[in-house]
Amino acid sequence: MDRCVVLVDAGYLLGAAASLLAGEPARPRIVVDHATLIQGLRERAEQETERPLLRIYWFDGAPDRVPQPEHRRLRVMPRVTVRLGALTRSDGRWAQKGVDAAMHAELTELARNRACSDIVLVTGDGDLLPGLMDAKEHGVAIHLWAVQAADGDFNQSEDLVAEADERRVLDRAWITRAVRAKDQSAHGAPAPVTRPEIAAILAAPLPENTAPAATAAGERPAARGPRPAADDAPARPAGTAEPSAATGGKGVPTPKDLADLGRPALVQDTRTVAAGATLRWSSDRGWVDRGTTVAEPPETACLPMLAQLTTAEQRWADREEDITTVSGDPFEVGQVFARRWAERLADPQHLQQLSGEYPRIPHRIDGELLRYAARFGLLAHKDDQIDEHDRYAIRAGFWREIDSRTGVAATPAKD
């Protein structure tokens, strides 16, 4: 039949795009507008084959073949069919299993059933060569598309290129219509704006009698939103000293700094941390206790979680929104979560109580926020941990939405 079909190896397309735009074939390094990408593939396929599109097949890997958020969004788009292989982990690396076999089977079946006259292949894998040759024997024209290689060299099998009837390159200009590299500082989040009181906290030194505490290598400060870049660090208020060397140059003590017993109470933000207490760190895996824990202040312990505020009907609608409209950008994820939480509060006072906790998100809500973010594939290729920069962007988006509802004006730090 006089129709065209597009078979997309998502691992090749997005991996090559990441290499071109971000310098390495890591898909978490790029942001993809799937609706624009699919529309671009359809328009280009119909233009180059001069045939109407029958369907776009999207082949990708997923852990245990469970559709990820991007797959759920793709499979509800018109003329798109998603085929999933397994995504397995070996020696610390992720690898697709079964994707090539599924593409080969689809390619040969389409040709044998005369379902189309032209097939566009977006792949570079030479394992598809037998299927490509079989399709040609059944009278199907094969169009092979490549993604422009970052080094200007080939990123496709030479045998595959030699056997294709038509060859085209998706260049940088075409790719960037739907794909962009994440910003290194905050993965695409808008530049954070520092509140004056937080600038003062970050600049404050530790008391002298806390200096002997050595911060462990790799220790991170408690959650406080995106860190300012070195060139954009807030000016230190007059009369304050340089940050203590004991904290690795950070003015706010880490949980490690507070770990030893016998330390005096330390004022941090508007709360007092008792001597010998440590903070609890939230993560996508729950709460990690570092020594003895500090009790949650009563005014924040009473704040409801989003799950408590959400009805069954709203939960269903939330999932539909996540699939169809939420891109999965970390900053946007934080905003969406905060919007739902704020809109469903019965007591407006709770919103003001939360705003007063800036930049610390109460641990129960913070843990729920990170678990929600994990639905959008932010754990992929991260050893089941959300990337540190993504965490900053998620929380920055959360506070941006809360601020917009409480009327808090974030004032840029002065030079």
Side-chain angles (χ1 to χ4, degrees):
M1 299 180 68
D2 291 337
R3 299 180 295 189
C4 69
V5 170
V6 181
L7 305 184
V8 179
D9 180 350
Y12 166 77
L13 173 59
L14 301 183
S19 294
L20 179 64
L21 303 180
E24 60 178 286
R27 286 164 63 172
R29 295 288 305 278
I30 57 176
V31 177
V32 183
D33 182 342
H34 290 91
T36 302
L37 181 59
I38 292 298
Q39 183 62 27
L41 290 170
R42 176 173 186 167
E43 291 175 354
R44 181 154 182 166
E46 291 181 335
Q47 178 183 359
E48 295 195 0
T49 64
E50 298 180 350
R51 301 285 189 270
L53 177 76
L54 171 62
R55 191 172 296 116
I56 294 176
Y57 288 90
W58 185 272
F59 296 88
D60 202 1
D64 299 323
R65 290 185 167 85
V66 176
Q68 299 300 295
E70 66 179 272
H71 303 138
R72 294 196 293 270
R73 287 192 292 272
L74 282 163
R75 66 186 184 181
V76 297
M77 293 181 185
R79 304 279 180 155
V80 176
T81 296
V82 175
R83 297 279 188 260
L84 294 179
L87 191 63
T88 60
R89 192 172 181 82
S90 177
D91 297 328
R93 299 176 63 88
W94 291 94
Q96 295 184 158
K97 300 293 183 183
V99 174
D100 296 338
M103 287 191 72
H104 181 280
E106 200 70 56
L107 176 61
T108 54
E109 283 299 309
L110 288 169
R112 290 172 182 171
N113 292 328
R114 301 186 184 278
C116 57
S117 60
D118 296 75
I119 293 179
V120 175
L121 287 177
V122 186
T123 185
D125 199 330
D127 290 344
L128 284 178
L129 183 61
L132 184 152
M133 298 175 68
D134 189 26
K136 289 175 63 178
E137 292 298 321
H138 285 83
V140 174
I142 302 296
H143 304 252
L144 184 65
W145 291 359
V147 177
Q148 178 182 340
D151 56 4
D153 202 353
F154 290 105
N155 54 14
Q156 291 179 305
S157 162
E158 291 187 14
D159 292 335
L160 204 64
V161 172
E163 285 292 332
D165 296 302
E166 300 285 347
R167 291 167 288 278
R168 297 289 185 271
V169 175
L170 304 177
D171 59 17
R172 179 186 292 269
W174 191 92
I175 291 292
T176 52
R177 295 175 187 172
V179 183
R180 64 175 175 83
K182 286 184 178 179
D183 177 48
Q184 281 291 90
S185 61
H187 280 200
V193 180
T194 307
R195 292 183 179 182
E197 69 274 20
I198 300 307
I201 292 170
L202 294 176
L206 279 176
E208 292 181 0
N209 53 7
T210 63
T215 302
E219 199 76 75
R220 287 182 288 183
R224 60 175 185 271
R227 298 169 293 183
D231 295 337
D232 300 327
R236 183 175 293 104
T240 58
E242 292 287 337
S244 170
T247 61
K250 298 185 291 289
V252 177
T254 68
K256 181 66 176 177
D257 298 327
L258 305 176
D260 296 335
L261 293 174
R263 296 194 180 281
L266 177 67
V267 177
Q268 182 176 334
D269 197 1
T270 59
R271 297 172 301 279
T272 299
V273 181
T278 61
L279 303 181
R280 303 183 73 198
W281 284 4
S282 66
S283 75
D284 53 280
R285 293 191 175 190
W287 286 98
V288 179
D289 291 338
R290 304 277 181 159
T292 57
T293 62
V294 60
E296 185 77 6
E299 62 272 15
T300 57
C302 68
L303 292 177
M305 297 173 65
L306 178 60
Q308 297 171 321
L309 301 170
T310 304
T311 65
E313 292 79 6
Q314 288 172 327
R315 188 172 296 109
W316 182 87
D318 289 347
R319 295 295 275 179
E320 286 295 306
E321 182 183 14
D322 291 343
I323 293 170
T324 57
T325 63
V326 182
S327 69
D329 177 78
F331 189 86
E332 181 189 5
V333 167
Q335 286 185 303
V336 170
F337 182 94
R339 170 174 56 80
R340 292 172 182 170
W341 187 85
E343 288 177 348
R344 294 168 191 174
L345 284 174
D347 185 357
Q349 187 63 27
H350 285 156
L351 190 61
Q352 296 297 331
Q353 290 173 349
L354 176 65
S355 180
E357 289 295 307
Y358 180 91
R360 174 186 173 275
I361 303 176
H363 68 80
R364 292 159 57 250
I365 296 176
D366 189 53
E368 189 180 31
L369 169 62
L370 295 179
R371 288 192 296 273
Y372 170 69
R375 299 179 187 175
F376 293 88
L378 295 175
L379 301 184
H381 314 293
K382 297 292 184 184
D383 297 322
D384 296 330
Q385 292 289 330
I386 297 179
D387 179 77
E388 182 178 11
H389 290 294
D390 284 344
R391 287 173 184 252
Y392 285 128
I394 292 165
R395 288 161 176 152
F398 178 91
W399 282 119
R400 181 66 61 84
E401 182 66 23
I402 295 299
D403 286 351
S404 70
R405 293 174 177 275
T406 57
V408 175
T411 305
K414 297 179 180 179
D415 295 333

